[in-house]
């Protein structure tokens, strides 16, 4: 297993829809193991294949809730059903999220309160998870990556303007930027 470089906003693979996983091979299993190691080293609660430069429809997640229940898994070729989002503005205290591909920043974003994730695991077995709260947010965030959407693409003003300024100031928004968890000093 290895920690992989995480691509930063501007890398084309992050802004393009990912291709379905045709077959679960040893290469896919190795990629998933590396993604878990990378996510844990970052540290993060989710990581999509495009974030490590691989344009495939899969993501990993790992989060422990307030009841000390750990939710950890891989979603291959997922579909996601989401409850409608509120029309109220996002609450910066309870609805802020960050992204390993826009490291060190957090912005509020309204997400659906609940979601149903349907996917395949590494054994090729289909499964379904009904999630609410933070786990539903994780699923929505990672699923967006598979469609070439970063959370900063969804945030409202004035936060979107702030994110654009940060991207320009840091030289992101162009191909070739990445960071390596455990090596680069970035807070994600």
């Amino acid at each position: 297993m290895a920690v992989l470089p995480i691509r930063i906003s501007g890398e084309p693979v992050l802004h393009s829809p990912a291709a379905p996983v045709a077959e679960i091979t040893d290469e896919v299993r190795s990629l998933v193991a590396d993604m878990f190691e990378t996510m844990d080293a970052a540290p993060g609660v989710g990581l999509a294949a495009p974030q490590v430069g691989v344009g495939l429809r899969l993501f990993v997640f790992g989060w422990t809730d307030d009841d000390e229940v750990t939710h950890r898994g891989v979603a291959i070729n997922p579909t996601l059903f989401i409850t409608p989002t509120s029309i109220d503005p996002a609450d910066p205290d309870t609805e802020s999220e960050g992204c390993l591909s826009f490291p060190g920043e957090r912005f509020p974003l309204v997400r659906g309160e609940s979601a149903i994730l349907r996917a395949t695991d590494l054994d090729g077995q289909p499964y379904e998870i009904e999630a609410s709260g933070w786990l539903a947010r994780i699923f929505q965030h990672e699923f967006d990556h598979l469609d070439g959407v970063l959370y900063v693409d969804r945030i409202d003003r004035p936060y979107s303007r702030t994110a654009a300024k940060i991207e320009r100031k840091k030289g992101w928004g162009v191909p070739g930027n990445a960071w390596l968890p455990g090596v680069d000093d970035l807070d994600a």
Side-chain angles (χ1 to χ4, degrees):
M1 294 191 310
V3 173
L4 304 172
I6 297 175
R7 303 320 195 265
I8 294 176
S9 180
E11 192 65 32
V13 71
L14 291 172
H15 305 283
S16 303
V21 175
E23 181 182 357
I24 300 171
T25 62
D26 287 343
E27 185 176 81
V28 169
R29 286 182 182 86
S30 179
L31 171 64
V32 168
D34 290 347
M35 287 173 61
F36 273 119
E37 188 166 338
T38 303
M39 177 186 71
D40 293 342
V45 294
L47 185 68
Q51 292 182 272
V52 294
V54 179
L56 290 176
R57 294 191 74 80
L58 70 91
F59 66 81
V60 298
F61 58 93
W63 173 68
T64 302
D65 64 26
D66 292 338
D67 296 326
E68 299 300 317
V69 175
T70 298
H71 307 272
R72 192 169 176 89
V74 59
I76 299 172
N77 296 329
T79 56
L80 193 65
F81 304 92
I82 306 164
T83 57
T85 59
S86 170
I87 60 171
D88 294 331
D91 182 333
D93 294 326
T94 61
E95 295 180 295
S96 287
E97 59 188 70
C99 180
L100 298 175
S101 290
F102 205 91
E105 306 299 329
R106 293 186 66 80
F107 296 103
L109 175 62
V110 175
R111 296 275 192 188
E113 175 57 30
S114 299
I116 298 172
L117 173 70
R118 291 184 182 151
T120 301
D121 66 18
L122 272 180
D123 295 323
Q125 297 302 308
Y127 70 90
E128 179 177 292
I129 297 175
E130 293 184 35
S132 61
W134 195 250
L135 186 59
R137 179 176 291 275
I138 293 167
F139 290 164
Q140 291 170 73
H141 181 107
E142 299 310 326
F143 190 84
D144 273 354
H145 278 299
L146 305 183
D147 288 336
V149 176
L150 298 181
Y151 90 108
V152 292
D153 298 331
R154 292 191 180 276
I155 57 178
D156 293 328
R157 286 184 145 196
Y159 304 106
S160 60
R161 292 184 63 158
T162 302
K165 287 178 186 176
I166 290 167
E167 188 172 65
R168 280 191 305 276
K169 182 179 178 183
K170 293 190 176 188
W172 300 343
V174 296
N177 290 307
W179 68 283
L180 189 62
V183 175
D184 296 319
D185 186 21
L186 294 173
D187 295 319

